[in-house]
């Protein structure tokens, strides 16, 4: 491997170590960017699209508390097929919505906790 690849690998490992120290989990999401990267998503625009779509879903819902994890999952899968739409695998969707609610859009937090 070349030097730049080794540096990137070391930086990625360092960020993982920091996330572990902060107890990153589905209940305590620390870094959406790192989570998306671990899913294999390398397009930085995907994060912005997920944030925008989450806001739209909550803002446009007649009753945001009636939204389901599958409502988000279906829309997120359209943004990136690396976010599964398998109804039995909702961990990524939970992480994404909770991170957005905790760190960016407080209005999303109660919806995330209701999923």
């Amino acid at each position: 491997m070349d030097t730049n690849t080794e540096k990137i690998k070391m930086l990625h490992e360092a960020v993982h170590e920091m996330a572990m120290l902060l107890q990153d989990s589905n209940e305590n999401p620390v870094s959406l960017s790192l989570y998306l990267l671990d899913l294999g998503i390398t397009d930085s625009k995907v994060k912005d699209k997920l944030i925008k779509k989450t806001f739209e879903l909550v803002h446009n819902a007649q009753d945001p508390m009636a939204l389901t994890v599958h409502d988000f999952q279906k829309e997120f899968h359209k943004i990136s097929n690396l976010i599964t739409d398998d109804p039995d695998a909702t961990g990524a969707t939970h992480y994404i919505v909770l991170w957005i609610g905790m760190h960016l859009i407080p209005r999303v937090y109660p919806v995330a906790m209701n999923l």
Side-chain angles (χ1 to χ4, degrees):
M1 279 191 226
D2 67 17
T3 305
N4 285 337
T5 303
E6 284 297 317
K7 287 180 183 177
I8 291 170
K9 183 178 177 187
M10 289 295 292
L11 287 170
H12 188 254
E13 289 175 11
V15 172
H16 265 283
E17 291 166 2
M18 287 185 260
M20 283 180 17
L21 181 67
L22 295 170
Q23 300 180 354
D24 185 38
S25 68
N26 280 359
E27 294 79 33
N28 182 45
V30 171
S31 173
L32 182 54
S33 297
L34 180 61
Y35 192 83
L36 294 176
L37 187 60
D38 286 344
L39 287 177
I41 298 169
T42 57
D43 180 353
S44 61
K45 294 176 187 137
V46 168
K47 180 180 174 182
D48 293 334
K49 290 176 183 177
L50 292 169
I51 293 166
K52 181 180 178 185
K53 182 52 69 178
T54 300
F55 175 78
E56 288 173 0
L57 284 170
V58 172
H59 181 72
N60 294 332
Q62 190 168 9
D63 178 6
M65 296 305 283
L67 289 168
T68 68
V69 68
H70 301 295
D71 294 327
F72 289 96
Q73 192 175 36
K74 181 176 65 175
E75 295 299 322
F76 291 175
H77 185 72
K78 291 177 188 175
I79 294 169
S80 173
N81 63 1
L82 293 173
I83 300 171
T84 183
D85 59 353
D86 178 351
D88 294 326
T90 59
T93 302
H94 278 279
Y95 188 102
I96 295 165
V97 177
L98 185 56
W99 186 90
I100 292 168
M102 288 177 73
H103 300 287
L104 290 180
I105 308 170
R107 183 176 177 195
V108 172
Y109 183 75
V111 176
M113 295 305 292
N114 194 50
L115 295 179

